[in-house]
Amino acid sequence: MTSQCYAGRSRPRQRSADGAAAKSGLGAGIGSWMVVLGIETTCDETAAAVVERPGEGRGRILSNIVLSQIDEHAAFGGVVPEIAARAHVEALDVIIAKAMAEAGRTFAHLDGVAAAAGPGLIGGVLVGLTTAKAIALVSEKPLIAVNHLEAHALTVRLTDATPFPYCLFLASGGHTQIVAVLGVGDYVRLGTTVDDAIGEAFDKIAKLLGLAYPGGPQVEREALSGDGARFALPRPMLGRQHADFSLSGLKTALRLEAEKIAPLSEGDVRDLCASFQQSVVEVVADRLRAGLKMFRERYGKPNALVAAGGVAANQAIRKVLHQVAFETGTVLVVPPAALCTDNGAMIAWAGAERLALGLTDTLDAAAHARWSLHDVAGPAPPTNADAPAIDAGGVTESRVADD
Ligand code: KG4
Ligand code: ZN
């Protein structure tokens, strides 16, 4: 997988009834105040939230309920899709009822119902999306089928009203991407991982070293008192001009070092974790420098460097984000940890941003196991030939050829 960009007028895609987005006319209208319910079930969190979007500026979270399934998956050392889907079915109604009650709203008060329609574990995605469709149908509200990655990308507008364009570093258990966020539905991937996501690599090495799931926080804790210079691990992709990542060679190198010195003492585990984290930190700094350079060359100075995803909770990684932002004269915005990891508020907010542009979906909207940001529909292009190249949604002039 490499990211190649091509120039040319963007192709905002208004999805049709077979796949989704359609202008239903039910949208509350550009710039208007609205309240949206958001449902998130793509992985191992069952989440629902109600968010208020003013005409402009940051949003207000009226409720944000997240039920983690970690305990149900811990024994297996990772998320088991069938267990996740069943757990979503069992919990979702209660979580939604709690979110509505805490927000002091009924379905009748809503302007729209948003659900993550992918990418993710398909059983779970279906649970959330089908529930959202039922609520939308019964309460006669517009449905917004949200791309989970788009929701991570737009969270910073909920928390900080960050204006477009900005550069997003998204690092979670399933994704590692550097993305130019140019407008709602207008995303250009500048870099991605060619193999494992960063969080996935943390989880895998934790499992290898006998640490609990999810591995990221455990590895970080062990690394705190370890010697990061003890093992000479590789720094994959360091110095490359593109902004892609690769983690699997690093993971293999760590396994080989561990095998050489097995059985491992507690000190060995701490030093292996510290050496691994040190390598990841250096790679992240280097890849972000490359990504920000690409951003500037194409779109000028970003309004911010934004971090999202569970990995952004790592203090060593946060430190290096500050360092790179400082070096490059970029403002760093990291939403609170609870909004960096999966939650319903980010889905509700992305739904509200789309609803404000009239981007709603029909009740046959599909659930997607895979769904690239490249394929997320944006606002329709201006119809007047004299209209400027940039419209209200920030549709600009280049896109990534994703795969
Ligand atoms: O965004 P997230 O909550 O869920 C998705 O994957 O979408 O991210 C979870 C990932 C896991 O792989 C977890 O190990 C990693 O983020 N993570 C961390 C830390 N906290 C969570 N990785 C490194 N250091 C951490 N402190
Ligand atoms: Zn996520």
Side-chain angles (χ1 to χ4, degrees), residues 1 3 43 63 72 82 137 145 163-164 171 203 230 257 272 377:
M1 268 194 295
S3 55
C43 191
S63 63
E72 287 166 72
E82 184 58 24
L137 180 66
F164 299 121
D203 292 339
R230 176 167 162 202
E257 292 291 346
L272 283 163

Side-chain angles (χ1 to χ4, degrees), residues 113-132:
V113 182
L121 301 173
I122 198 69
V125 175
L126 278 166
V127 173
L129 183 59
T130 308
T131 305

Side-chain angles (χ1 to χ4, degrees), residues 120-211:
L121 301 173
I122 198 69
V125 175
L126 278 166
V127 173
L129 183 59
T130 308
T131 305
K133 285 177 181 179
I135 297 170
L137 180 66
V138 170
S139 50
E140 298 183 343
K141 302 293 176 186
L143 170 77
I144 310 104
V146 169
N147 178 297
H148 178 93
L149 303 177
E150 177 175 43
H152 275 304
L154 297 177
T155 300
V156 75
R157 291 168 55 76
L158 160 67
T159 57
D160 294 79
T162 302
F164 299 121
Y166 51 86
C167 185
L168 172 76
F169 173 52
L170 171 61
S172 67
H175 306 279
T176 297
Q177 300 190 358
I178 300 174
V179 180
V181 181
L182 307 175
V184 174
D186 197 7
Y187 312 104
V188 178
R189 199 179 66 192
L190 302 173
T192 187
T193 177
V194 298
D195 39 56
D196 291 348
I198 298 180
E200 182 184 2
F202 267 94
D203 292 339
K204 285 179 177 170
I205 75 126
K207 195 170 181 183
L208 180 91
L209 299 174
L211 303 172

Side-chain angles (χ1 to χ4, degrees), residues 236-259:
M237 299 291 196
L238 208 72
R240 301 282 179 92
Q241 269 196 325
H242 59 66
D244 287 341
F245 292 77
S246 170
L247 277 304
S248 79
L250 172 59
K251 192 186 60 192
T252 306
L254 180 125
R255 178 171 55 77
L256 296 174
E257 292 291 346
E259 281 170 6

